[in-house]
């Protein structure tokens, strides 16, 4: 059998890990099972990545890159501000509700990372990347539409993503297509209103 370098083997193992865990869940993603998925020795996984956490980190990086690319491609070049937010919401929602399970896998890995010190950095980098891209797209949409934002692009991005994450959790645990559609449309409208200073904010007792 021809020798395959670690550089070549790395993307193969990442794909094998994604395929396996997308089908069977993160709990099934042992290094032995991932090696079997690709048809290589378990030692190959450890030689290429070092630890299972290193492999999981690489999987999170790949899934995050794919998600960001999908969102960036969905941003229209000639639409107004609200239309741009709606396009972003639609692109993200298709990744949640479509046949692909990569978004669900990324959610699983993110939850696992909360209790896995070796994955903490990957979790933070994932969400930081999503926030940064969303904030940039919000800023570009406002500039294109000639709209002045009443809040910082990052604040608007965090507001939008917080609502979207909530809808995602509901989709996973208590799916209701009618409620989801209403929630998604409401989120776009509320994000637009917040960004343009048209949303009246209530006082909330925090103490």
């Amino acid at each position: 059998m021809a020798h395959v370098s670690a550089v070549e083997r790395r993307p193969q193992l990442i794909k094998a890990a994604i395929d396996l865990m997308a089908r069977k869940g993160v709990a099934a993603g042992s290094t032995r099972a991932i090696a079997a998925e690709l048809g290589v020795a378990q030692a190959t996984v450890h030689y290429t990545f070092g630890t299972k956490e290193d492999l999981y980190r690489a999987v999170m990086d790949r899934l995050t890159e794919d998600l960001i690319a999908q969102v960036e491609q969905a941003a229209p070049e000639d639409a107004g501000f609200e239309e741009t937010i709606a396009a972003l919401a639609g692109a993200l929602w298709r990744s949640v509700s479509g046949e692909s399970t990569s978004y669900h896998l990324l959610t699983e890995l993110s939850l696992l990372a909360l209790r896995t010190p070796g994955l903490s950095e990957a979790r933070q980098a994932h969400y930081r990347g999503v926030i940064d891209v969303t904030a940039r797209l919000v800023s570009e949409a406002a500039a294109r539409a000639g709209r002045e934002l009443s809040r910082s692009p990052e604040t608007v991005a965090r507001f939008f993503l917080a609502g979207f994450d909530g809808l995602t959790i509901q989709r996973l645990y208590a799916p209701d297509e009618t409620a989801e559609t209403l929630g998604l449309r409401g989120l776009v409208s509320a994000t637009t209103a917040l960004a343009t200073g048209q949303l009246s904010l209530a006082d909330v007792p925090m103490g």
Side-chain angles (χ1 to χ4, degrees), residues 14 17-18 21-22 25-27 29 34 52-53 55-64 101-116 119-120 122-123 126:
I14 292 173
I18 291 173
M21 292 190 289
V26 173
I34 292 169
K52 183 172 71 173
E53 286 73 21
L55 173 56
Y56 279 18
R57 189 181 301 111
V59 168
M60 290 183 70
D61 288 344
R62 171 65 60 79
L63 292 173
T64 301
T101 55
S102 60
Y103 194 97
H104 296 174
L105 175 56
L106 184 55
T107 300
E108 277 192 76
L109 286 167
S110 297
L111 292 174
L112 173 68
L114 288 172
R115 294 185 174 273
T116 307
L119 294 176
S120 177
R123 171 179 55 82
H126 150 64

Side-chain angles (χ1 to χ4, degrees), residues 70 74 84-95 97 160 164 184 188:
Q70 183 178 350
T84 299
I85 301 300
L88 298 179
L92 281 172
W93 193 249
R94 285 190 294 274
S95 72
S97 58
F160 171 78
F164 189 85
L184 198 61
V188 171

Side-chain angles (χ1 to χ4, degrees), residues 119-142:
L119 294 176
S120 177
E121 182 180 341
R123 171 179 55 82
Q124 294 173 8
H126 150 64
Y127 212 74
R128 182 74 256 174
V130 173
I131 290 173
D132 288 347
V133 168
T134 305
R136 176 171 58 79
L137 294 176
V138 165
S139 180
E140 291 174 353

